[in-house]
Amino acid sequence: MSVLFSYAFRPLFLLATLYAMVVVPVWVAAWLGVAPMPASLGTPIWWHAHEMIFGFAGAAIGGFALTAVATWTKRPPVSGAPLIALSGLWLTARLAFLARSPALLVPAIAADLGYGVLLFGLMGREVISVRNSRNYKLLGLLALLPIANLAFFFGLRANASWTMSALFAGMWVVVLLINVIGGRIIPGFTRNWLRRRAEQSMRAPVKLPPVFDRFDLLTTVLMALIAVFQLASAPPSTMAAVGLTTGVLLFIRLARWRGHLGASEPLVWILHVGFAWLPVGFVLLGLSALDLAPRTAGIHALTSGAITTMIVAVASRAALGHTGRPLRSHLLLTTSYLLITIAAIARVAATFGPAARELLLVSAVAWFLGFACFAWRYVPILTQPKVQRKGSLPVV
């Protein structure tokens, strides 16, 4: 117990992984008509969207944020009772929502909102106590998550027309978090890997990924802008122009990080694959505004693609680094990466119509197997003490 709650990544990555193996199969089984539709959150689609954003992604975000902030602030990690309470609130909400009992809805809502508020409070305490201004923007995004969740629950109780918009707001917050975190760690990790490879081969280092500059800032601003446009139901012409422009600029931004040079290291290339889903998603959203693609294709490129892949990529690396293990992939881990990528491709392809049921089934099976491989490899790592081994490297 003391090991499990010694660092936030341990219980929260574990919960996110195990829940991933439940939430998608339950949804797909219901969609295919072989299981009852989950209706604890108004409609089946609302339940699915909410649990993917605030359940699965919410746990992973908490695990990463509270783990990384200890490194950023040079303070002791959040552990013990606060971490037990945080994990307990998340787990209570998930179980209560799955139970489909009307009597459990209010306690589930309270626990779910409590998780978001406590996560923000713990993160805020760590960041503000040392005036770590670099991470105020991350703190601001974390504050928006429980606000979007609260808006959803208000809409749910009132059967309001904007309930789905609250879920989209939550999705956009997670997408922007992926952009901020990915924009920080992907070029940094790639740069470090290229330097080590150059040192080992006794060669001069190749051109390294650039640090954050005005181009990165422009793409981030455009991403936030299209999120606002989508929530405000902006004219299709505006959505198309901004979406396609943002997608193209994100592709250029990703190319600047020189991910092709890390093709031999799964821990490196999976980060680039995960981020690549962002420009794909924005391009598809832009095309959907022109009626050239279904809007759900862009949404699932951002969720099944970018969010899920980045969660697996970051969680696998963080767990290795913070448990003292070498930053090297493993057959099960690489298999997990490939299966999660197949799941995302099949899910996006299913939105276009032909063979939708078959593609959805392929996506669900690949998703489940991908997280099963991840769990097989990482449950022991997440639950066992840190390994003291020469050559181990920190993650952030």
Side-chain angles (χ1 to χ4, degrees):
M1 182 67 75
S2 60
V3 172
L4 184 61
F5 294 101
S6 62
Y7 243 117
F9 74 90
R10 292 182 180 274
L12 292 175
F13 286 173
L14 180 63
L15 288 171
T17 300
L18 297 178
Y19 193 51
M21 296 169 64
V22 173
V23 67
V24 166
V26 166
W27 167 247
V28 173
W31 192 87
L32 294 175
V34 298
M37 280 286 186
S40 58
L41 291 174
T43 72
I45 291 178
W46 289 357
W47 175 86
H48 172 61
H50 182 273
E51 290 305 278
M52 293 301 295
I53 297 165
F54 299 102
F56 167 63
I61 288 167
F64 172 81
L66 293 181
T67 298
V69 76
T71 302
W72 297 337
T73 62
K74 310 301 181 185
R75 284 171 54 85
V78 174
S79 61
L83 190 52
I84 293 173
L86 188 69
S87 303
L89 287 169
W90 184 93
L91 184 59
T92 298
R94 308 286 73 79
L95 293 176
F97 287 139
L98 279 173
R100 304 175 68 227
S101 170
L104 294 177
L105 182 58
V106 172
I109 290 174
D112 205 34
L113 292 174
Y115 171 81
V117 171
L118 182 56
L119 172 58
F120 171 75
L122 292 172
M123 187 72 177
R125 181 191 68 183
E126 301 302 304
V127 170
I128 295 172
S129 64
V130 297
R131 297 183 179 180
N132 185 228
S133 58
R134 183 177 183 235
N135 288 300
Y136 285 172
K137 57 181 174 292
L138 187 63
L139 190 60
L141 288 172
L142 284 180
L144 292 177
L145 267 182
I147 292 174
N149 203 13
L150 179 63
F152 167 73
F153 288 130
F154 267 124
L156 176 67
R157 302 293 283 183
N159 196 25
S161 59
W162 43 262
T163 306
M164 194 65 197
S165 295
L167 290 172
F168 277 127
M171 181 202 76
W172 284 116
V173 171
V174 178
V175 167
L176 291 173
L177 279 168
I178 292 293
N179 176 69
V180 171
I181 295 169
R184 181 181 300 180
I185 67 173
I186 297 174
F189 288 152
T190 305
R191 194 180 303 118
N192 292 342
W193 185 82
L194 290 173
R195 283 173 177 159
R196 288 197 299 272
R197 190 181 69 166
E199 291 172 359
Q200 292 168 358
S201 62
M202 304 294 289
R203 296 176 182 174
V206 297
K207 183 179 178 181
L208 300 175
V211 296
F212 190 91
D213 57 19
R214 291 180 179 178
F215 185 84
D216 299 278
L217 179 61
L218 173 62
T219 60
T220 299
V221 170
L222 287 175
M223 288 178 68
L225 193 61
I226 198 170
V228 172
F229 286 164
Q230 192 263 337
L231 293 173
S233 299
S237 58
T238 302
M239 283 290 296
V242 178
L244 292 171
T245 301
T246 304
V248 170
L249 293 180
L250 280 168
F251 274 122
I252 296 172
R253 185 186 186 196
L254 183 63
R256 297 168 79 217
W257 293 342
R258 305 181 68 76
H260 63 284
L261 297 176
S264 62
E265 176 49 64
L267 287 174
V268 174
W269 61 251
I270 191 60
L271 290 166
H272 293 263
V273 169
F275 198 90
W277 280 107
L278 287 181
V280 170
F282 280 96
V283 167
L284 288 171
L285 286 176
L287 292 175
S288 72
L290 300 174
D291 292 327
L292 297 176
R295 188 176 70 159
T296 52
I299 297 302
H300 283 96
L302 296 176
T303 52
S304 298
I307 293 174
T308 301
T309 309
M310 284 296 293
I311 284 173
V312 172
V314 172
S316 56
R317 190 181 184 102
L320 291 176
H322 283 282
T323 59
R325 291 167 170 83
L327 293 178
R328 292 196 300 267
S329 191
H330 180 278
L331 178 60
L332 281 172
L333 181 57
T334 304
T335 302
S336 174
Y337 291 162
L338 295 173
L339 287 167
I340 292 299
T341 301
I342 291 171
I345 293 171
R347 186 63 190 89
V348 172
T351 65
F352 285 88
R357 288 175 63 90
E358 292 78 6
L359 285 168
L360 188 61
L361 187 58
V362 168
S363 177
V365 171
W367 169 289
F368 176 82
L369 293 176
F371 277 99
C373 289
F374 187 86
W376 193 347
R377 173 61 176 159
Y378 275 87
V379 168
I381 292 175
L382 295 172
T383 56
Q384 293 175 4
K386 182 176 180 178
V387 173
Q388 299 298 332
R389 181 177 298 175
K390 184 178 180 180
S392 297
L393 299 171
V395 62
V396 290

Short mmCIF file of all heavy atoms in Angstrom, two decimals, residues 288-342:
data_model
loop_
_atom_site.label_atom_id
_atom_site.label_comp_id
_atom_site.label_asym_id
_atom_site.label_seq_id
_atom_site.Cartn_x
_atom_site.Cartn_y
_atom_site.Cartn_z
N SER A 288 -14.76 18.60 -42.48
CA SER A 288 -16.16 18.35 -42.11
C SER A 288 -17.00 19.61 -42.24
O SER A 288 -18.20 19.53 -42.56
CB SER A 288 -16.24 17.81 -40.68
OG SER A 288 -15.97 18.82 -39.73
N ALA A 289 -16.38 20.76 -42.01
CA ALA A 289 -17.12 22.02 -42.18
C ALA A 289 -17.48 22.27 -43.63
O ALA A 289 -18.40 23.03 -43.93
CB ALA A 289 -16.28 23.19 -41.63
N LEU A 290 -16.74 21.61 -44.53
CA LEU A 290 -17.04 21.71 -45.97
C LEU A 290 -17.84 20.52 -46.47
O LEU A 290 -18.00 20.32 -47.67
CB LEU A 290 -15.73 21.80 -46.76
CG LEU A 290 -14.81 22.99 -46.44
CD1 LEU A 290 -13.50 22.86 -47.18
CD2 LEU A 290 -15.51 24.30 -46.79
N ASP A 291 -18.33 19.70 -45.52
CA ASP A 291 -19.09 18.48 -45.83
C ASP A 291 -18.28 17.48 -46.64
O ASP A 291 -18.82 16.72 -47.44
CB ASP A 291 -20.39 18.83 -46.58
CG ASP A 291 -21.38 19.58 -45.71
OD1 ASP A 291 -21.41 19.31 -44.49
OD2 ASP A 291 -22.09 20.45 -46.23
N LEU A 292 -16.96 17.47 -46.42
CA LEU A 292 -16.09 16.53 -47.11
C LEU A 292 -15.65 15.37 -46.22
O LEU A 292 -14.95 14.46 -46.67
CB LEU A 292 -14.85 17.27 -47.65
CG LEU A 292 -15.13 18.35 -48.69
CD1 LEU A 292 -13.85 19.07 -49.06
CD2 LEU A 292 -15.80 17.75 -49.93
N ALA A 293 -16.05 15.42 -44.96
CA ALA A 293 -15.73 14.36 -44.00
C ALA A 293 -16.71 14.47 -42.85
O ALA A 293 -17.22 15.56 -42.56
CB ALA A 293 -14.30 14.49 -43.49
N PRO A 294 -17.02 13.35 -42.19
CA PRO A 294 -17.90 13.42 -41.01
C PRO A 294 -17.19 14.10 -39.84
O PRO A 294 -15.98 13.92 -39.66
CB PRO A 294 -18.21 11.95 -40.70
CG PRO A 294 -17.09 11.19 -41.32
CD PRO A 294 -16.64 11.96 -42.51
N ARG A 295 -17.93 14.92 -39.09
CA ARG A 295 -17.32 15.61 -37.96
C ARG A 295 -16.77 14.63 -36.94
O ARG A 295 -15.74 14.88 -36.30
CB ARG A 295 -18.32 16.55 -37.28
CG ARG A 295 -17.66 17.43 -36.22
CD ARG A 295 -18.61 18.43 -35.61
NE ARG A 295 -19.61 17.80 -34.77
CZ ARG A 295 -20.31 18.45 -33.82
NH1 ARG A 295 -20.10 19.75 -33.63
NH2 ARG A 295 -21.21 17.83 -33.10
N THR A 296 -17.44 13.49 -36.79
CA THR A 296 -16.98 12.51 -35.81
C THR A 296 -15.61 11.93 -36.16
O THR A 296 -14.90 11.44 -35.29
CB THR A 296 -17.99 11.35 -35.68
OG1 THR A 296 -18.26 10.82 -36.99
CG2 THR A 296 -19.28 11.81 -35.04
N ALA A 297 -15.21 12.02 -37.44
CA ALA A 297 -13.87 11.57 -37.82
C ALA A 297 -12.82 12.44 -37.14
O ALA A 297 -11.84 11.94 -36.57
CB ALA A 297 -13.70 11.60 -39.33
N GLY A 298 -13.02 13.76 -37.19
CA GLY A 298 -12.09 14.67 -36.53
C GLY A 298 -12.11 14.50 -35.02
O GLY A 298 -11.06 14.52 -34.36
N ILE A 299 -13.30 14.33 -34.45
CA ILE A 299 -13.42 14.16 -32.99
C ILE A 299 -12.68 12.91 -32.54
O ILE A 299 -11.94 12.93 -31.55
CB ILE A 299 -14.91 14.09 -32.60
CG1 ILE A 299 -15.63 15.40 -32.93
CG2 ILE A 299 -15.03 13.76 -31.11
CD1 ILE A 299 -15.05 16.63 -32.27
N HIS A 300 -12.85 11.81 -33.26
CA HIS A 300 -12.18 10.57 -32.85
C HIS A 300 -10.68 10.57 -33.17
O HIS A 300 -9.92 9.86 -32.52
CB HIS A 300 -12.88 9.36 -33.47
CG HIS A 300 -14.16 9.02 -32.79
ND1 HIS A 300 -15.39 9.45 -33.25
CD2 HIS A 300 -14.41 8.32 -31.65
CE1 HIS A 300 -16.33 9.01 -32.43
NE2 HIS A 300 -15.77 8.33 -31.45
N ALA A 301 -10.26 11.36 -34.15
CA ALA A 301 -8.82 11.51 -34.37
C ALA A 301 -8.19 12.21 -33.16
O ALA A 301 -7.07 11.87 -32.74
CB ALA A 301 -8.55 12.31 -35.63
N LEU A 302 -8.91 13.16 -32.58
CA LEU A 302 -8.40 13.87 -31.41
C LEU A 302 -8.48 13.02 -30.15
O LEU A 302 -7.60 13.10 -29.28
CB LEU A 302 -9.18 15.17 -31.20
CG LEU A 302 -9.04 16.23 -32.30
CD1 LEU A 302 -9.94 17.42 -32.01
CD2 LEU A 302 -7.60 16.69 -32.43
N THR A 303 -9.53 12.19 -30.03
CA THR A 303 -9.75 11.44 -28.78
C THR A 303 -9.11 10.06 -28.84
O THR A 303 -8.15 9.78 -28.11
CB THR A 303 -11.25 11.33 -28.49
OG1 THR A 303 -11.93 10.82 -29.66
CG2 THR A 303 -11.83 12.69 -28.15
N SER A 304 -9.62 9.19 -29.72
CA SER A 304 -9.04 7.85 -29.85
C SER A 304 -7.60 7.92 -30.34
O SER A 304 -6.77 7.07 -29.98
CB SER A 304 -9.85 7.00 -30.84
OG SER A 304 -11.17 6.83 -30.39
N GLY A 305 -7.29 8.95 -31.15
CA GLY A 305 -5.95 9.09 -31.68
C GLY A 305 -5.01 9.83 -30.75
O GLY A 305 -4.19 9.23 -30.05
N ALA A 306 -5.13 11.15 -30.70
CA ALA A 306 -4.16 11.97 -29.97
C ALA A 306 -4.18 11.73 -28.47
O ALA A 306 -3.15 11.47 -27.85
CB ALA A 306 -4.41 13.45 -30.28
N ILE A 307 -5.36 11.84 -27.86
CA ILE A 307 -5.43 11.75 -26.40
C ILE A 307 -4.99 10.37 -25.93
O ILE A 307 -4.14 10.24 -25.03
CB ILE A 307 -6.85 12.08 -25.91
CG1 ILE A 307 -7.17 13.55 -26.18
CG2 ILE A 307 -6.99 11.76 -24.42
CD1 ILE A 307 -8.60 13.95 -25.87
N THR A 308 -5.55 9.32 -26.51
CA THR A 308 -5.24 7.97 -26.05
C THR A 308 -3.77 7.61 -26.29
O THR A 308 -3.09 7.09 -25.40
CB THR A 308 -6.14 6.94 -26.75
OG1 THR A 308 -7.50 7.25 -26.48
CG2 THR A 308 -5.84 5.54 -26.27
N THR A 309 -3.27 7.89 -27.49
CA THR A 309 -1.89 7.53 -27.80
C THR A 309 -0.91 8.29 -26.93
O THR A 309 0.08 7.73 -26.44
CB THR A 309 -1.57 7.79 -29.29
OG1 THR A 309 -2.57 7.17 -30.10
CG2 THR A 309 -0.21 7.24 -29.66
N MET A 310 -1.16 9.58 -26.70
CA MET A 310 -0.26 10.36 -25.86
C MET A 310 -0.31 9.89 -24.41
O MET A 310 0.72 9.90 -23.71
CB MET A 310 -0.61 11.84 -25.95
CG MET A 310 -0.15 12.50 -27.24
SD MET A 310 1.65 12.52 -27.43
CE MET A 310 2.11 13.65 -26.12
N ILE A 311 -1.47 9.46 -23.95
CA ILE A 311 -1.57 8.94 -22.59
C ILE A 311 -0.70 7.69 -22.44
O ILE A 311 0.08 7.57 -21.49
CB ILE A 311 -3.04 8.62 -22.23
CG1 ILE A 311 -3.80 9.92 -21.93
CG2 ILE A 311 -3.12 7.67 -21.03
CD1 ILE A 311 -5.28 9.73 -21.74
N VAL A 312 -0.82 6.78 -23.39
CA VAL A 312 -0.01 5.55 -23.33
C VAL A 312 1.47 5.87 -23.46
O VAL A 312 2.32 5.32 -22.73
CB VAL A 312 -0.45 4.57 -24.44
CG1 VAL A 312 0.49 3.38 -24.51
CG2 VAL A 312 -1.88 4.10 -24.19
N ALA A 313 1.82 6.77 -24.37
CA ALA A 313 3.22 7.12 -24.59
C ALA A 313 3.84 7.76 -23.35
O ALA A 313 4.95 7.40 -22.93
CB ALA A 313 3.34 8.07 -25.78
N VAL A 314 3.14 8.71 -22.77
CA VAL A 314 3.68 9.43 -21.60
C VAL A 314 3.69 8.53 -20.37
O VAL A 314 4.65 8.53 -19.59
CB VAL A 314 2.88 10.71 -21.36
CG1 VAL A 314 3.30 11.37 -20.05
CG2 VAL A 314 3.07 11.69 -22.51
N ALA A 315 2.61 7.77 -20.17
CA ALA A 315 2.53 6.90 -18.99
C ALA A 315 3.63 5.85 -19.01
O ALA A 315 4.26 5.57 -17.97
CB ALA A 315 1.16 6.23 -18.92
N SER A 316 3.89 5.27 -20.17
CA SER A 316 4.91 4.21 -20.24
C SER A 316 6.29 4.77 -19.93
O SER A 316 7.09 4.15 -19.23
CB SER A 316 4.89 3.55 -21.62
OG SER A 316 5.06 4.49 -22.65
N ARG A 317 6.58 5.96 -20.43
CA ARG A 317 7.88 6.57 -20.20
C ARG A 317 8.02 7.04 -18.75
O ARG A 317 9.07 6.85 -18.13
CB ARG A 317 8.07 7.74 -21.16
CG ARG A 317 9.48 8.29 -21.16
CD ARG A 317 9.61 9.46 -22.12
NE ARG A 317 11.00 9.90 -22.18
CZ ARG A 317 11.84 9.61 -23.15
NH1 ARG A 317 11.44 8.87 -24.16
NH2 ARG A 317 13.08 10.05 -23.12
N ALA A 318 6.98 7.68 -18.23
CA ALA A 318 7.03 8.18 -16.86
C ALA A 318 7.21 7.06 -15.86
O ALA A 318 7.99 7.17 -14.90
CB ALA A 318 5.76 8.97 -16.54
N ALA A 319 6.49 5.95 -16.06
CA ALA A 319 6.60 4.83 -15.12
C ALA A 319 8.00 4.23 -15.11
O ALA A 319 8.52 3.86 -14.05
CB ALA A 319 5.56 3.76 -15.47
N LEU A 320 8.63 4.14 -16.29
CA LEU A 320 9.99 3.61 -16.34
C LEU A 320 10.96 4.54 -15.63
O LEU A 320 11.77 4.12 -14.80
CB LEU A 320 10.43 3.43 -17.80
CG LEU A 320 9.75 2.32 -18.61
CD1 LEU A 320 10.25 2.35 -20.05
CD2 LEU A 320 10.02 0.95 -17.99
N GLY A 321 10.89 5.82 -15.97
CA GLY A 321 11.83 6.77 -15.40
C GLY A 321 11.71 6.92 -13.90
O GLY A 321 12.72 6.96 -13.18
N HIS A 322 10.48 6.99 -13.40
CA HIS A 322 10.28 7.25 -11.97
C HIS A 322 10.38 5.99 -11.11
O HIS A 322 10.29 6.08 -9.89
CB HIS A 322 8.94 7.95 -11.75
CG HIS A 322 9.00 9.40 -12.11
ND1 HIS A 322 9.56 10.36 -11.30
CD2 HIS A 322 8.58 10.05 -13.22
CE1 HIS A 322 9.47 11.54 -11.87
NE2 HIS A 322 8.87 11.38 -13.04
N THR A 323 10.53 4.84 -11.73
CA THR A 323 10.79 3.62 -10.94
C THR A 323 12.23 3.15 -11.11
O THR A 323 12.56 2.03 -10.70
CB THR A 323 9.82 2.49 -11.34
OG1 THR A 323 9.98 2.20 -12.73
CG2 THR A 323 8.37 2.87 -11.04
N GLY A 324 13.07 3.98 -11.69
CA GLY A 324 14.48 3.67 -11.80
C GLY A 324 14.84 2.67 -12.86
O GLY A 324 15.93 2.07 -12.82
N ARG A 325 13.96 2.46 -13.82
CA ARG A 325 14.24 1.50 -14.89
C ARG A 325 14.78 2.20 -16.13
O ARG A 325 14.42 3.35 -16.39
CB ARG A 325 12.97 0.71 -15.23
CG ARG A 325 12.56 -0.25 -14.10
CD ARG A 325 11.17 -0.80 -14.30
NE ARG A 325 10.88 -1.87 -13.35
CZ ARG A 325 10.47 -1.66 -12.10
NH1 ARG A 325 10.31 -0.43 -11.64
NH2 ARG A 325 10.24 -2.69 -11.29
N PRO A 326 15.62 1.52 -16.90
CA PRO A 326 16.16 2.13 -18.12
C PRO A 326 15.04 2.51 -19.08
O PRO A 326 14.02 1.81 -19.17
CB PRO A 326 17.04 1.04 -18.71
CG PRO A 326 17.38 0.14 -17.57
CD PRO A 326 16.18 0.16 -16.66
N LEU A 327 15.24 3.59 -19.78
CA LEU A 327 14.26 4.05 -20.75
C LEU A 327 14.41 3.27 -22.05
O LEU A 327 14.94 3.75 -23.05
CB LEU A 327 14.42 5.55 -20.99
CG LEU A 327 14.07 6.45 -19.80
CD1 LEU A 327 14.30 7.91 -20.14
CD2 LEU A 327 12.63 6.22 -19.35
N ARG A 328 13.93 2.04 -22.02
CA ARG A 328 13.93 1.17 -23.19
C ARG A 328 12.56 0.51 -23.32
O ARG A 328 11.90 0.21 -22.33
CB ARG A 328 15.00 0.08 -23.05
CG ARG A 328 16.43 0.58 -23.10
CD ARG A 328 17.40 -0.57 -23.35
NE ARG A 328 17.32 -1.58 -22.29
CZ ARG A 328 18.11 -1.58 -21.21
NH1 ARG A 328 19.02 -0.63 -21.05
NH2 ARG A 328 17.97 -2.52 -20.30
N SER A 329 12.16 0.28 -24.56
CA SER A 329 10.88 -0.37 -24.79
C SER A 329 11.00 -1.87 -24.52
O SER A 329 12.06 -2.39 -24.17
CB SER A 329 10.40 -0.11 -26.22
OG SER A 329 9.05 -0.52 -26.37
N HIS A 330 9.89 -2.54 -24.67
CA HIS A 330 9.78 -3.96 -24.41
C HIS A 330 8.82 -4.51 -25.45
O HIS A 330 7.97 -3.78 -25.98
CB HIS A 330 9.25 -4.17 -22.99
CG HIS A 330 9.08 -5.59 -22.56
ND1 HIS A 330 7.97 -6.33 -22.90
CD2 HIS A 330 9.87 -6.40 -21.82
CE1 HIS A 330 8.09 -7.55 -22.37
NE2 HIS A 330 9.22 -7.61 -21.73
N LEU A 331 8.91 -5.78 -25.78
CA LEU A 331 8.05 -6.36 -26.80
C LEU A 331 6.57 -6.11 -26.50
O LEU A 331 5.80 -5.73 -27.40
CB LEU A 331 8.31 -7.87 -26.91
CG LEU A 331 7.42 -8.63 -27.93
CD1 LEU A 331 7.61 -8.07 -29.33
CD2 LEU A 331 7.72 -10.12 -27.89
N LEU A 332 6.16 -6.30 -25.26
CA LEU A 332 4.76 -6.06 -24.89
C LEU A 332 4.40 -4.59 -25.06
O LEU A 332 3.29 -4.26 -25.50
CB LEU A 332 4.51 -6.50 -23.45
CG LEU A 332 4.31 -7.99 -23.21
CD1 LEU A 332 4.26 -8.28 -21.71
CD2 LEU A 332 3.02 -8.48 -23.87
N LEU A 333 5.32 -3.71 -24.69
CA LEU A 333 5.05 -2.28 -24.79
C LEU A 333 4.95 -1.84 -26.25
O LEU A 333 4.02 -1.11 -26.63
CB LEU A 333 6.13 -1.48 -24.07
CG LEU A 333 5.97 0.04 -24.07
CD1 LEU A 333 4.63 0.44 -23.47
CD2 LEU A 333 7.11 0.69 -23.30
N THR A 334 5.87 -2.28 -27.07
CA THR A 334 5.82 -1.93 -28.48
C THR A 334 4.56 -2.50 -29.14
O THR A 334 3.93 -1.83 -29.97
CB THR A 334 7.08 -2.46 -29.20
OG1 THR A 334 8.25 -1.95 -28.56
CG2 THR A 334 7.09 -2.03 -30.66
N THR A 335 4.19 -3.71 -28.76
CA THR A 335 2.94 -4.30 -29.26
C THR A 335 1.74 -3.45 -28.85
O THR A 335 0.81 -3.24 -29.64
CB THR A 335 2.78 -5.73 -28.73
OG1 THR A 335 3.91 -6.52 -29.14
CG2 THR A 335 1.50 -6.37 -29.27
N SER A 336 1.76 -2.97 -27.61
CA SER A 336 0.69 -2.09 -27.14
C SER A 336 0.60 -0.84 -27.99
O SER A 336 -0.50 -0.42 -28.39
CB SER A 336 0.94 -1.72 -25.67
OG SER A 336 -0.01 -0.77 -25.23
N TYR A 337 1.75 -0.23 -28.28
CA TYR A 337 1.76 0.97 -29.13
C TYR A 337 1.11 0.69 -30.49
O TYR A 337 0.29 1.48 -30.98
CB TYR A 337 3.19 1.43 -29.37
CG TYR A 337 3.91 1.99 -28.17
CD1 TYR A 337 5.31 2.10 -28.17
CD2 TYR A 337 3.23 2.43 -27.04
CE1 TYR A 337 5.99 2.63 -27.09
CE2 TYR A 337 3.91 2.95 -25.95
CZ TYR A 337 5.30 3.04 -25.98
OH TYR A 337 5.98 3.56 -24.91
N LEU A 338 1.48 -0.43 -31.10
CA LEU A 338 0.96 -0.76 -32.43
C LEU A 338 -0.54 -1.02 -32.39
O LEU A 338 -1.30 -0.57 -33.27
CB LEU A 338 1.70 -1.98 -32.99
CG LEU A 338 3.19 -1.78 -33.28
CD1 LEU A 338 3.84 -3.10 -33.67
CD2 LEU A 338 3.39 -0.74 -34.40
N LEU A 339 -1.00 -1.74 -31.36
CA LEU A 339 -2.42 -2.05 -31.24
C LEU A 339 -3.26 -0.80 -30.98
O LEU A 339 -4.36 -0.64 -31.55
CB LEU A 339 -2.64 -3.07 -30.13
CG LEU A 339 -2.20 -4.50 -30.46
CD1 LEU A 339 -2.16 -5.35 -29.20
CD2 LEU A 339 -3.13 -5.13 -31.49
N ILE A 340 -2.77 0.10 -30.13
CA ILE A 340 -3.48 1.34 -29.87
C ILE A 340 -3.57 2.19 -31.13
O ILE A 340 -4.59 2.84 -31.40
CB ILE A 340 -2.78 2.13 -28.73
CG1 ILE A 340 -2.91 1.37 -27.40
CG2 ILE A 340 -3.36 3.53 -28.61
CD1 ILE A 340 -4.33 1.18 -26.93
N THR A 341 -2.52 2.16 -31.94
CA THR A 341 -2.53 2.90 -33.21
C THR A 341 -3.53 2.28 -34.19
O THR A 341 -4.29 3.00 -34.87
CB THR A 341 -1.12 2.91 -33.83
OG1 THR A 341 -0.21 3.53 -32.91
CG2 THR A 341 -1.12 3.67 -35.14
N ILE A 342 -3.57 0.96 -34.25
CA ILE A 342 -4.56 0.28 -35.10
C ILE A 342 -5.97 0.61 -34.64
O ILE A 342 -6.87 0.87 -35.46
CB ILE A 342 -4.32 -1.24 -35.08
CG1 ILE A 342 -3.02 -1.59 -35.81
CG2 ILE A 342 -5.50 -1.99 -35.71
CD1 ILE A 342 -2.59 -3.03 -35.64
#
